[in-house]
Amino acid sequence: MSKTLERFKRELGSAWRYINNIDWTDHSFSSEKAYVCALFSKTAYLEIPEFEVKHHSGAKVIPCLTYQELVSRRTSFKAGNLLREADLGNSFAVVRNGVVAVCTMTGGVIFIALRGTRLLHISDWMTDLRIALAQVHVGNIVADFHSGFYTAVQDCFEAVAREIALRQARPAVPVYVVGHSLGGAMAGVAFGLDGKSFHSRHHFARTISARWGLHSAYSFGMPRYGGKFAVHSLGSPLHVYNREDLVPGLPPRNLGYEEVPEEYCLHDGGRIAPGPRVRQGLPWLLSGILSTKGVRYHLIERYIRRLGASVHAY
């Protein structure tokens, strides 16, 4: 049995203590919300389809230790089974080639956790995260989004909306979209587009008007995902990042990318400091890649552990 999976089961088992004491209708940031959202962000890594197991490569950067351990055994995995064991409500998964969405309906709040399925080789990080911005028509205006993140969200948007509509008994229940790493960027794209009609000539010239009914978004260690209008005017997630994590420093700003306006730096010991990031340069980025320190601090387990310390879960 995976040691990190057993630990995560215990973490999920304690989640109710926080879920029941949080006002999920409040839009403001809290460390308790961030901790719970990080836990549910990890559930997206534990929906492991057969095609990922088949094409698994140990050389790839996988920002979840439990995922690494499970896939190394060449077996698929269902997040829903784990969530049922923890008595965390009903769940469903939507799997596409570029994205996995795991939705958990607890009764008082709904979480939609996203992650990317295209795992990166270390040598590909700079190339894959430098991808050009795509122009997305949102109503009568145009917003710039990372084309890969936008395409993944567009591919699953209607399917997730349909499943929520079929299962949601109480429409007033707040819905949170959450994600770590590439999934965090996808959560940002989804949050910005939810409730709006949108399309892009970059990928399928078809207008999408489906709704997830999102209340808020939390992201962890996410790369930049859009231009200034997309992240400042359409709505963006509350972003938590480790100072040592290199991924939030990509893609470069000189390609037109912007940070989201509300960010929180997570320090060792669980201290959370609101405010914009210190602007690190290319030497810091290269040092993080070469030493693998930036990769270690990018792991979802690192985020959960530090956030757990902030709410005294450890």
Side-chain angles (χ1 to χ4, degrees):
M1 177 63 69
S2 164
K3 291 182 179 180
T4 63
L5 180 58
E6 285 299 309
R7 178 173 186 163
F8 187 53
K9 285 181 178 180
R10 293 193 297 272
E11 291 165 338
L12 281 178
S14 67
W16 272 122
R17 174 166 44 127
Y18 300 98
I19 292 173
N20 291 334
N21 291 322
I22 291 172
D23 179 5
W24 295 101
T25 64
D26 184 2
H27 286 86
S28 62
F29 176 89
S30 77
S31 56
E32 290 81 7
K33 282 185 188 176
Y35 176 61
V36 173
C37 288
L39 290 176
F40 280 97
S41 294
K42 183 170 175 175
T43 65
Y45 287 111
L46 301 185
E47 182 69 25
I48 306 175
E50 290 285 354
F51 73 82
E52 283 193 310
V53 175
K54 182 178 179 181
H55 298 292
H56 170 67
S57 168
K60 293 179 179 178
V61 177
I62 307 167
C64 174
L65 293 176
T66 307
Y67 179 102
Q68 294 179 36
E69 292 175 3
L70 292 172
V71 174
S72 67
R73 299 176 186 183
R74 303 289 178 179
T75 182
S76 58
F77 197 85
K78 294 291 185 182
N81 296 335
L82 189 64
L83 290 162
R84 278 190 294 274
E85 285 182 30
D87 197 26
L88 284 171
N90 299 319
S91 67
F92 67 85
V94 172
V95 179
R96 296 293 185 266
N97 283 335
V99 63
V100 168
V102 173
C103 180
T104 308
M105 313 179 84
T106 70
V109 60
I110 296 172
F111 298 97
I112 304 173
L114 303 178
R115 75 168 174 89
T117 62
R118 187 170 184 273
L119 306 174
L120 304 177
H121 290 272
I122 291 177
S123 60
D124 291 339
W125 272 45
M126 291 299 290
T127 300
D128 286 308
L129 290 179
R130 283 176 63 95
I131 199 163
L133 288 160
Q135 290 191 331
V136 179
H137 297 262
V138 186
N140 295 321
I141 55 91
V142 176
D144 295 326
F145 287 102
H146 181 287
S147 59
F149 302 149
Y150 168 76
T151 298
V153 169
Q154 182 179 253
D155 285 349
C156 76
F157 207 91
E158 290 173 310
V160 171
R162 185 167 52 250
E163 292 291 339
I164 291 176
L166 286 172
R167 300 163 189 257
Q168 189 174 8
R170 295 168 54 196
V173 172
V175 182
Y176 280 63
V177 62
V178 301
H180 166 252
S181 189
L182 308 188
M186 292 174 189
V189 174
F191 189 68
L193 296 177
D194 186 53
K196 306 173 182 70
S197 295
F198 62 91
H199 75 276
S200 169
R201 295 185 180 87
H202 172 77
H203 187 73
F204 305 136
R206 181 171 60 85
T207 299
I208 294 175
S209 300
R211 291 178 57 88
W212 290 2
L214 296 176
H215 176 280
S216 297
Y218 274 71
S219 62
F220 306 90
M222 73 172 179
R224 302 182 184 106
Y225 65 84
K228 186 173 183 178
F229 182 84
V231 302
H232 286 269
S233 299
L234 293 181
S236 56
L238 305 176
H239 180 217
V240 178
Y241 66 95
N242 281 325
R243 186 174 59 85
E244 303 89 346
D245 187 351
L246 64 84
V247 171
L250 297 170
R253 294 184 194 85
N254 60 15
L255 294 181
Y257 288 90
E258 292 280 338
E259 286 111 7
V260 297
E262 192 166 347
E263 295 192 308
Y264 297 83
C265 183
L266 183 58
H267 296 268
D268 195 13
R271 184 172 65 86
I272 300 177
R277 265 173 275 160
V278 175
R279 303 215 163 187
Q280 293 104 342
L282 183 59
W284 171 85
L285 183 63
L286 292 175
S287 173
I289 294 173
L290 294 175
S291 69
T292 73
K293 180 180 179 180
V295 177
R296 295 196 310 274
Y297 280 88
H298 184 56
L299 291 168
I300 183 62
E301 287 84 3
R302 179 82 66 167
Y303 280 90
I304 290 173
R305 190 176 308 157
R306 284 187 171 183
L307 285 165
S310 75
V311 298
H312 309 295
Y314 290 95

